[in-house]
mmCIF file of all heavy atoms in Angstrom:
data_model
loop_
_atom_site.group_PDB
_atom_site.id
_atom_site.type_symbol
_atom_site.label_atom_id
_atom_site.label_comp_id
_atom_site.label_asym_id
_atom_site.label_seq_id
_atom_site.Cartn_x
_atom_site.Cartn_y
_atom_site.Cartn_z
ATOM 1 N N LEU A 8 54.862 -25.125 -102.451
ATOM 2 C CA LEU A 8 53.800 -26.080 -102.718
ATOM 3 C C LEU A 8 52.443 -25.501 -102.304
ATOM 4 O O LEU A 8 51.499 -26.230 -102.152
ATOM 5 C CB LEU A 8 54.040 -27.383 -101.932
ATOM 6 C CG LEU A 8 55.214 -28.244 -102.429
ATOM 7 C CD1 LEU A 8 55.411 -29.417 -101.475
ATOM 8 C CD2 LEU A 8 54.965 -28.746 -103.826
ATOM 9 N N LEU A 37 47.818 -36.277 -113.492
ATOM 10 C CA LEU A 37 47.609 -37.574 -112.876
ATOM 11 C C LEU A 37 47.452 -37.492 -111.369
ATOM 12 O O LEU A 37 46.831 -38.351 -110.752
ATOM 13 C CB LEU A 37 48.800 -38.501 -113.192
ATOM 14 C CG LEU A 37 49.046 -38.788 -114.668
ATOM 15 C CD1 LEU A 37 50.248 -39.710 -114.822
ATOM 16 C CD2 LEU A 37 47.822 -39.387 -115.311
ATOM 17 N N LEU A 39 48.072 -34.603 -107.681
ATOM 18 C CA LEU A 39 48.438 -33.326 -107.116
ATOM 19 C C LEU A 39 49.204 -33.594 -105.835
ATOM 20 O O LEU A 39 48.674 -34.196 -104.899
ATOM 21 C CB LEU A 39 47.186 -32.487 -106.833
ATOM 22 C CG LEU A 39 47.368 -31.128 -106.176
ATOM 23 C CD1 LEU A 39 48.174 -30.195 -107.087
ATOM 24 C CD2 LEU A 39 46.019 -30.529 -105.858
ATOM 25 N N ARG A 41 50.301 -32.429 -102.509
ATOM 26 C CA ARG A 41 49.888 -31.391 -101.563
ATOM 27 C C ARG A 41 51.005 -31.011 -100.610
ATOM 28 O O ARG A 41 51.014 -29.892 -100.112
ATOM 29 C CB ARG A 41 48.654 -31.827 -100.778
ATOM 30 C CG ARG A 41 47.421 -32.064 -101.648
ATOM 31 C CD ARG A 41 46.971 -30.835 -102.363
ATOM 32 N NE ARG A 41 46.737 -29.739 -101.420
ATOM 33 C CZ ARG A 41 46.427 -28.496 -101.776
ATOM 34 N NH1 ARG A 41 46.325 -28.166 -103.028
ATOM 35 N NH2 ARG A 41 46.232 -27.596 -100.862
ATOM 36 N N ARG A 50 69.066 -41.007 -84.829
ATOM 37 C CA ARG A 50 69.542 -42.129 -84.005
ATOM 38 C C ARG A 50 69.541 -43.447 -84.741
ATOM 39 O O ARG A 50 70.129 -44.406 -84.296
ATOM 40 C CB ARG A 50 68.687 -42.256 -82.745
ATOM 41 C CG ARG A 50 68.852 -41.099 -81.777
ATOM 42 C CD ARG A 50 68.085 -41.378 -80.499
ATOM 43 N NE ARG A 50 66.648 -41.535 -80.742
ATOM 44 C CZ ARG A 50 65.780 -40.538 -80.767
ATOM 45 N NH1 ARG A 50 66.193 -39.304 -80.591
ATOM 46 N NH2 ARG A 50 64.514 -40.762 -80.968
ATOM 47 N N GLY A 51 68.853 -43.567 -85.864
ATOM 48 C CA GLY A 51 68.743 -44.828 -86.561
ATOM 49 C C GLY A 51 69.960 -45.116 -87.411
ATOM 50 O O GLY A 51 70.868 -44.306 -87.566
ATOM 51 N N ALA A 64 58.541 -36.868 -90.435
ATOM 52 C CA ALA A 64 58.306 -36.645 -91.875
ATOM 53 C C ALA A 64 56.825 -36.747 -92.199
ATOM 54 O O ALA A 64 56.274 -35.900 -92.924
ATOM 55 C CB ALA A 64 59.103 -37.676 -92.686
ATOM 56 N N TRP A 74 45.757 -32.070 -93.821
ATOM 57 C CA TRP A 74 45.026 -33.323 -93.881
ATOM 58 C C TRP A 74 45.074 -34.024 -92.546
ATOM 59 O O TRP A 74 46.072 -33.977 -91.831
ATOM 60 C CB TRP A 74 45.658 -34.279 -94.878
ATOM 61 C CG TRP A 74 45.425 -33.997 -96.318
ATOM 62 C CD1 TRP A 74 44.809 -32.918 -96.869
ATOM 63 C CD2 TRP A 74 45.860 -34.816 -97.409
ATOM 64 N NE1 TRP A 74 44.830 -33.024 -98.238
ATOM 65 C CE2 TRP A 74 45.454 -34.167 -98.582
ATOM 66 C CE3 TRP A 74 46.556 -36.029 -97.494
ATOM 67 C CZ2 TRP A 74 45.733 -34.702 -99.856
ATOM 68 C CZ3 TRP A 74 46.798 -36.546 -98.742
ATOM 69 C CH2 TRP A 74 46.390 -35.901 -99.912
ATOM 70 N N TRP A 104 48.757 -42.085 -86.777
ATOM 71 C CA TRP A 104 47.305 -42.256 -86.869
ATOM 72 C C TRP A 104 46.630 -42.243 -85.507
ATOM 73 O O TRP A 104 45.461 -41.902 -85.385
ATOM 74 C CB TRP A 104 46.955 -43.559 -87.602
ATOM 75 C CG TRP A 104 47.095 -43.410 -89.082
ATOM 76 C CD1 TRP A 104 48.163 -42.953 -89.775
ATOM 77 C CD2 TRP A 104 46.120 -43.718 -90.060
ATOM 78 N NE1 TRP A 104 47.934 -42.982 -91.130
ATOM 79 C CE2 TRP A 104 46.664 -43.436 -91.338
ATOM 80 C CE3 TRP A 104 44.817 -44.210 -89.996
ATOM 81 C CZ2 TRP A 104 45.969 -43.625 -92.517
ATOM 82 C CZ3 TRP A 104 44.132 -44.403 -91.174
ATOM 83 C CH2 TRP A 104 44.702 -44.108 -92.424
ATOM 84 N N GLY A 124 61.468 -55.493 -106.471
ATOM 85 C CA GLY A 124 62.659 -55.377 -105.656
ATOM 86 C C GLY A 124 62.924 -53.942 -105.250
ATOM 87 O O GLY A 124 62.107 -53.047 -105.465
ATOM 88 N N LEU A 126 64.829 -50.574 -105.633
ATOM 89 C CA LEU A 126 65.574 -49.812 -106.653
ATOM 90 C C LEU A 126 66.476 -48.749 -106.061
ATOM 91 O O LEU A 126 66.913 -47.830 -106.746
ATOM 92 C CB LEU A 126 64.595 -49.181 -107.664
ATOM 93 C CG LEU A 126 63.758 -50.169 -108.476
ATOM 94 C CD1 LEU A 126 62.959 -49.444 -109.542
ATOM 95 C CD2 LEU A 126 64.613 -51.243 -109.115
ATOM 96 N N ALA A 129 66.094 -44.901 -106.574
ATOM 97 C CA ALA A 129 64.833 -44.660 -107.321
ATOM 98 C C ALA A 129 63.635 -45.260 -106.629
ATOM 99 O O ALA A 129 62.529 -45.268 -107.172
ATOM 100 C CB ALA A 129 64.972 -45.255 -108.729
ATOM 101 N N GLY A 134 57.557 -46.096 -106.253
ATOM 102 C CA GLY A 134 56.364 -46.092 -105.413
ATOM 103 C C GLY A 134 55.385 -45.018 -105.840
ATOM 104 O O GLY A 134 54.173 -45.213 -105.801
ATOM 105 N N LEU A 140 49.394 -44.572 -110.916
ATOM 106 C CA LEU A 140 48.661 -45.498 -111.773
ATOM 107 C C LEU A 140 47.408 -46.033 -111.037
ATOM 108 O O LEU A 140 46.350 -46.194 -111.642
ATOM 109 C CB LEU A 140 49.546 -46.665 -112.203
ATOM 110 C CG LEU A 140 50.619 -46.322 -113.249
ATOM 111 C CD1 LEU A 140 51.583 -47.472 -113.431
ATOM 112 C CD2 LEU A 140 49.980 -45.924 -114.576
ATOM 113 N N PRO A 149 47.612 -54.640 -105.554
ATOM 114 C CA PRO A 149 48.063 -55.624 -104.561
ATOM 115 C C PRO A 149 49.570 -55.598 -104.354
ATOM 116 O O PRO A 149 50.315 -55.108 -105.180
ATOM 117 C CB PRO A 149 47.678 -56.963 -105.220
ATOM 118 C CG PRO A 149 47.758 -56.681 -106.692
ATOM 119 C CD PRO A 149 47.334 -55.247 -106.855
ATOM 120 N N LYS A 152 53.194 -61.789 -102.030
ATOM 121 C CA LYS A 152 53.864 -62.639 -101.026
ATOM 122 C C LYS A 152 53.528 -62.311 -99.583
ATOM 123 O O LYS A 152 54.278 -62.687 -98.679
ATOM 124 C CB LYS A 152 55.369 -62.618 -101.239
ATOM 125 C CG LYS A 152 55.791 -63.130 -102.630
ATOM 126 C CD LYS A 152 57.302 -63.106 -102.778
ATOM 127 C CE LYS A 152 57.732 -63.707 -104.077
ATOM 128 N NZ LYS A 152 57.373 -62.969 -105.269
ATOM 129 N N HIS A 155 49.928 -63.340 -93.894
ATOM 130 C CA HIS A 155 49.260 -62.979 -92.660
ATOM 131 C C HIS A 155 50.242 -62.180 -91.799
ATOM 132 O O HIS A 155 51.441 -62.307 -91.959
ATOM 133 C CB HIS A 155 48.785 -64.221 -91.895
ATOM 134 C CG HIS A 155 49.855 -65.213 -91.647
ATOM 135 N ND1 HIS A 155 50.799 -65.099 -90.660
ATOM 136 C CD2 HIS A 155 50.159 -66.370 -92.299
ATOM 137 C CE1 HIS A 155 51.624 -66.113 -90.686
ATOM 138 N NE2 HIS A 155 51.266 -66.906 -91.683
ATOM 139 N N ASP A 175 38.574 -52.350 -106.558
ATOM 140 C CA ASP A 175 38.103 -51.028 -106.966
ATOM 141 C C ASP A 175 38.354 -50.040 -105.817
ATOM 142 O O ASP A 175 38.075 -50.309 -104.657
ATOM 143 C CB ASP A 175 36.618 -51.038 -107.284
ATOM 144 C CG ASP A 175 36.316 -51.740 -108.586
ATOM 145 O OD1 ASP A 175 37.246 -51.916 -109.394
ATOM 146 O OD2 ASP A 175 35.157 -52.131 -108.801
ATOM 147 N N ARG A 179 35.834 -42.344 -100.220
ATOM 148 C CA ARG A 179 35.166 -42.286 -98.920
ATOM 149 C C ARG A 179 33.859 -41.521 -99.033
ATOM 150 O O ARG A 179 33.799 -40.463 -99.685
ATOM 151 C CB ARG A 179 36.060 -41.597 -97.877
ATOM 152 C CG ARG A 179 37.218 -42.451 -97.391
ATOM 153 C CD ARG A 179 38.246 -41.622 -96.637
ATOM 154 N NE ARG A 179 39.022 -40.784 -97.563
ATOM 155 C CZ ARG A 179 38.902 -39.471 -97.677
ATOM 156 N NH1 ARG A 179 38.089 -38.803 -96.907
ATOM 157 N NH2 ARG A 179 39.616 -38.805 -98.549
#
Side-chain angles (χ1 to χ4, degrees):
L8 289 174
L37 299 180
L39 177 64
R41 297 298 305 175
R50 292 185 300 272
W74 284 7
W104 281 53
L126 297 187
L140 288 171
K152 299 180 175 68
H155 54 79
D175 288 342
R179 286 165 286 108

